[in-house]
Amino acid sequence: MQHKLKASFNPIWLHVLLLLVWLTIGLGLRWTHLADKPLWTDEFSTIVFSLGQSFRSVPLNQAISIKTLLSPLQMAPQANVQAVVNNLLRESNHPPLYFILTHWWLRLVSTPNALVSVEGVRSLSVLLGVASIPAVFGLGWLAFRSRLVGHLAAMMMAVSPFAVYLAQEARHYTLGILWIIASLSCLVVAVRAIRNRAPLPVWVALVWIGVNGLGIATHYFFVLTLAAEAIVVSGLGLLQSWREQGTRHPSYWGRLGLVALGTVVSGLVWLPILDRIQDDELTRWIYRDWAGLSWVDPIGQAIAGWITMIYLLPIQAPAREIVWISGALLIGLVLWTVPQMFKGLRSYLLVPTHRLMVQTLGGFVGVAIALFLGITYVLGMDVTSAFRYNFVYFPAVVVLVGVGLAGLWTSATAIASLPQPFTLASLLSFFRQSASIRERQVVILIGCLSLLGGLTVVSDLGYQKTHRPDLVAQAIQTDLQTPTLVAIVHRTHGQTGRLMGIAWELQHQNMPSPGLERPVSDASPLFLLAHQGQNQPSPIRALRQALNQRSSPLNLWLINFQSLSSSQPLQNLLQEQRCTTESPAQSVDGYRYQLYHCDLTP
C-alpha cells in the first residue's frame, strides 16, 4: 500500500513533463542569438564542403570581388554526396559523416543559387545538441537505475555553457557527443556483464561496433573515447578475472574481443587519411615547443575547460573590471562546488552497484584526461588549447555531475524522513534537516548558476567565436568610398575562410535583407589571397601584381602579413606604390590587420 501511494506521486508522465522542461530550456538557450555571432573559418569549411563545393574554385594571387570569394557558399543544385566526400577528403582532414548530414539538411533549409543562412547551417548542430539532453538522461538512468540521476544530468546538459557553445557551432561536435553517449551506454552494459560473470549480449556487441564506427566517421578524436573505454574495460575485466581464479564462469572476453576487432576494422578504413594528416598544413597550429614556463599552459587550459562544463561568467566582457570580477567569482565557485560534488558522490559510493558505475565513468574521464595530457606533453600536440576537443569525455562528466547532485538531493530526502519526537535526538535531527534543506538549495543553486553560464554564452560574453571577422569588417567599412583592396597571406583554405569571414560581414552589414546580389560600385572592396607555399613565389609578388593593376588612390588592408611586415621586399613594394600608414597594426582573434593609403596615380 505504501509503495502504491509513493508511486502515485511519481507517475511516468511527470518524468516526461520534466524532461520536456529540460528540452525546452536547452532548445531556447541554443537558438537564442544563433545567427548573431560571426561565422569563422571552421564553419566556412562546414558550409563549403557540405554544399559539395571546393575552396580551390576561389582564385589565388589575383584581386577578386565579394561575389567570387563567396561563390562556394551557394547551394548548387547539381552538387551531390559524392562531391561532398571527394572535396572533403581531398582538401580537409575530417571524416565525412557530419558533412553528408549537413548536405542533406542544407538542401531542406536553403534556396538554390543563394547564399546559405547562418541560422540554417547552425541549426542542425542545435538540434543534435538538444537531442543529447534526453540521450544523457538515458545514460544516467541506465548506469544508476535512477530517474533522478537522469533528470539532473539532463538538466546540466541543457544549461551547460560548454554544451551551449558546441551547439551554436556549425561543426560536428554535437553529433560526436551523441555517439559518445551511445558508446558509453554500451560500456555500462559491458561492465555489468563483467560484474555478473556473463557474456555481453550479441546485439549489444553489434550495436557497440556500429556506434564506434559512426563515431570515427564523425570525428577522429572519437578514437580517444574508444581508447579510454578500452583501458577501463580491460582494467575491470582483468581485476574480475584475478578475483575469479580457480572458479569456472562463462567467459566475457570473447564478446568483448569481438567488439574490439569490429571497432578496429571500422577504423582501419581511415588509416591512410590519418597518416596524411600528420604532415598536413592544417594541423600545424596544434604543435608546440615547450620552453620556459610554457609547459604549464596546458594544465591551466585543461582546468579552464573543465570549469566551463558547469560554470561561465562574462570573462570576455568589454569592461576589464567585469572580466577580473568574473574570473575571481569563477574560482570561488569552483572551490565551493568541488567539495559539494564529492559529498554527493560519496553517498553513491556506499552502494556497491552504484560504486561500480561511479568508478567506471570516473575512470573513463580520468583516463581520457591522461590521454590528452600525454598527447600534449609527449607528442607535442597541445590538444588542451582547443576546449571543443573536450567533447571526447564531456558526457561522462555531465553524468557524474548529475550523480553528485542526486547524492546531495537524496541524502536530504533521507534525513527529512526521519522520525522526530521532541527529544535531544529530535533537536539534533532538526539541525540535520536544516542542513538537508541547504543541500537541496545547493542543487538548485548549481543549476541556476550553470544556466547563467549558458546565458553568458548566448550573450557573447563568453565562448566568443575563435575568429572575429566582424571586428575587422567594421574597421574596413569606415571608408568604403575609396577603392579598397583586402589582402591576406594564404597557405591553406583556413586563410580563405578568414577572408570569407570579412567578406561575409561586409556583404551583410551593407544589406538589410539576405541574398547574394548587392549594389556594386567602383568602391566595392576587392580581395586578394596572396599564396605562400614551399618552392613558390613570395606573396609579395602577387601583391605587387594586384597593385600594379590599380591606377587610382587605394585603401590597402594587409591581413596577417606580420611574418613579412619587417621584410625588405615588402617595405620596398610599399614605398614604390607610395603606401603610407597612420596607425599601428591592430589584432583581434584570428587577424592582425593594418591599413595603408596608397597613392597609385602615375
Side-chain angles (χ1 to χ4, degrees):
M1 179 67 181
Q2 185 178 0
H3 176 73
K4 291 181 179 179
L5 183 63
K6 182 179 179 181
S8 67
F9 288 98
N10 194 27
I12 295 298
W13 67 263
L14 185 60
H15 293 286
V16 174
L17 180 62
L18 190 56
L19 191 56
L20 288 175
V21 170
W22 309 139
L23 283 167
T24 302
I25 293 173
L27 179 61
L29 278 175
R30 287 156 177 77
W31 214 282
T32 301
H33 300 309
L34 181 61
D36 292 351
K37 297 181 182 181
L39 291 167
W40 70 290
T41 300
D42 283 13
E43 292 183 299
F44 281 113
S45 295
T46 296
I47 297 172
V48 171
F49 293 128
S50 297
L51 292 176
Q53 302 275 27
S54 169
F55 281 98
R56 295 179 181 178
S57 65
V58 180
L60 302 178
N61 298 329
Q62 58 180 284
I64 57 178
S65 66
I66 284 183
K67 185 174 181 177
T68 301
L69 179 57
L70 298 183
S71 59
L73 307 179
Q74 300 176 74
M75 171 62 72
Q78 70 277 11
N80 54 30
V81 169
Q82 183 177 356
V84 173
V85 175
N86 290 341
N87 290 331
L88 179 70
L89 298 184
R90 185 171 58 247
E91 300 178 34
S92 186
N93 53 11
H94 290 295
L97 180 57
Y98 174 77
F99 298 87
I100 293 173
L101 295 178
T102 305
H103 174 78
W104 290 331
W105 178 254
L106 289 177
R107 283 198 169 276
L108 290 175
V109 301
S110 299
T111 303
N113 299 317
L115 291 178
V116 299
S117 69
V118 179
E119 191 174 67
V121 74
R122 287 176 177 165
S123 55
L124 177 60
S125 184
V126 166
L127 297 178
L128 294 172
V130 172
S132 68
I133 297 172
V136 85
F137 171 88
L139 175 58
W141 177 85
L142 180 66
F144 295 94
R145 294 291 191 255
S146 168
R147 294 193 184 105
L148 178 61
V149 171
H151 279 302
L152 291 173
M155 177 190 74
M156 295 307 298
M157 180 65 82
V159 300
S160 164
F162 182 66
V164 174
Y165 151 67
L166 291 183
Q168 291 195 323
E169 290 267 296
R171 297 297 284 166
H172 33 202
Y173 303 109
T174 50
L175 179 59
I177 284 174
L178 287 176
W179 300 134
I180 290 167
I181 291 173
S183 188
L184 287 175
S185 298
C186 295
L187 172 67
V188 165
V189 175
V191 168
R192 281 214 178 92
I194 292 173
R195 182 200 61 190
N196 297 330
R197 306 176 182 88
L200 185 69
V202 174
W203 71 269
V204 175
L206 295 177
V207 168
W208 203 355
I209 293 171
V211 166
N212 293 344
L214 292 170
I216 298 172
T218 299
H219 200 293
Y220 293 130
F221 270 40
F222 189 85
V223 172
L224 298 179
T225 298
L226 300 180
E229 288 182 347
I231 292 172
V232 169
V233 168
S234 299
L236 291 174
L238 290 173
L239 180 61
Q240 186 77 1
S241 298
W242 177 77
R243 289 174 176 172
E244 295 174 356
Q245 288 181 358
T247 62
R248 295 180 60 85
H249 294 287
S251 175
Y252 38 76
W253 289 112
R255 303 278 173 81
L256 293 175
L258 173 65
V259 173
L261 179 62
T263 300
V264 169
V265 171
S266 68
L268 286 177
V269 66
W270 308 108
L271 196 59
I273 301 173
L274 288 172
D275 184 63
R276 175 174 59 84
I277 288 174
Q278 293 179 359
D279 298 322
D280 199 319
E281 182 72 29
L282 293 168
T283 61
R284 295 286 173 85
W285 63 272
I286 207 170
Y287 287 91
R288 296 285 187 273
D289 292 324
W290 308 115
L293 294 177
S294 63
W295 66 271
V296 181
D297 293 343
I299 297 175
Q301 291 164 173
I303 293 173
W306 302 336
I307 292 172
T308 62
M309 293 182 182
I310 306 178
Y311 298 131
L312 188 60
L313 292 174
I315 57 174
Q316 291 181 303
R320 187 176 297 273
E321 296 80 5
I322 296 178
V323 172
W324 285 106
I325 293 173
S326 298
L329 288 175
L330 277 175
I331 294 173
L333 279 175
V334 171
L335 295 176
W336 169 76
T337 303
V338 170
Q340 303 294 333
M341 288 292 103
F342 278 111
K343 182 179 180 181
L345 286 169
R346 191 161 52 243
S347 67
Y348 268 73
L349 287 170
L350 297 176
V351 183
T353 54
H354 291 167
R355 180 168 60 247
L356 177 63
M357 291 296 108
V358 171
Q359 290 171 342
T360 298
L361 294 178
F364 168 79
V365 172
V367 171
I369 292 173
L371 290 173
F372 269 63
L373 295 178
I375 292 172
T376 297
Y377 286 111
V378 177
L379 301 181
M381 300 170 60
D382 188 5
V383 291
T384 67
S385 62
F387 291 173
R388 57 189 181 273
Y389 293 155
N390 291 334
F391 84 98
V392 165
Y393 54 91
F394 172 60
V397 173
V398 171
V399 174
L400 289 174
V401 171
V403 173
L405 295 177
L408 291 174
W409 192 272
T410 53
S411 64
T413 304
I415 292 172
S417 63
L418 293 175
Q420 299 177 14
F422 189 72
T423 61
L424 178 60
S426 69
L427 185 61
L428 293 175
S429 179
F430 171 76
F431 290 110
R432 294 175 69 188
Q433 287 183 24
S434 300
S436 75
I437 295 174
R438 287 197 298 270
E439 287 169 344
R440 286 194 169 187
Q441 291 173 343
V442 164
V443 174
I444 296 171
L445 180 60
I446 289 175
C448 291
L449 290 172
S450 188
L451 173 61
L452 181 61
L455 293 172
T456 298
V457 174
V458 301
S459 301
D460 208 22
L461 297 174
Y463 268 129
Q464 293 177 353
K465 292 301 179 182
T466 304
H467 299 156
R468 297 299 305 274
D470 55 321
L471 299 181
V472 183
Q474 288 175 12
I476 294 173
Q477 199 174 18
T478 56
D479 184 12
L480 282 181
Q481 300 306 312
T482 302
T484 300
L485 176 66
V486 184
I488 190 171
V489 175
H490 177 273
R491 296 183 181 85
T492 68
H493 67 253
Q495 287 73 46
T496 308
R498 280 177 169 84
L499 204 58
M500 282 179 169
I502 298 173
W504 180 282
E505 292 298 320
L506 290 172
Q507 173 87 10
H508 288 78
Q509 288 174 10
N510 289 337
M511 291 193 65
S513 58
L516 179 62
E517 299 301 329
R518 55 167 288 168
V520 178
S521 68
D522 293 337
S524 296
L526 296 176
F527 300 87
L528 173 67
L529 290 156
H531 186 66
Q532 183 179 42
Q534 295 180 350
N535 303 321
Q536 293 192 16
S538 166
I540 297 176
R541 178 176 174 179
L543 180 60
R544 182 187 301 275
Q545 292 175 348
L547 291 176
N548 286 338
Q549 294 172 359
R550 308 291 107 188
S551 60
S552 59
L554 179 76
N555 284 341
L556 172 64
W557 290 88
L558 296 184
I559 311 292
N560 295 348
F561 268 75
Q562 58 266 32
S563 62
L564 302 171
S565 59
S566 59
S567 67
Q568 195 59 45
L570 178 59
Q571 295 304 318
N572 291 341
L573 172 61
L574 294 174
Q575 186 174 2
E576 292 171 8
Q577 303 290 344
R578 295 187 290 278
C579 299
T580 59
T581 182
E582 299 173 356
S583 58
Q586 304 293 318
S587 294
V588 296
D589 295 339
Y591 299 89
R592 182 175 176 82
Y593 57 98
Q594 189 166 14
L595 170 63
Y596 290 86
H597 301 286
C598 301
D599 182 9
L600 305 178
T601 305

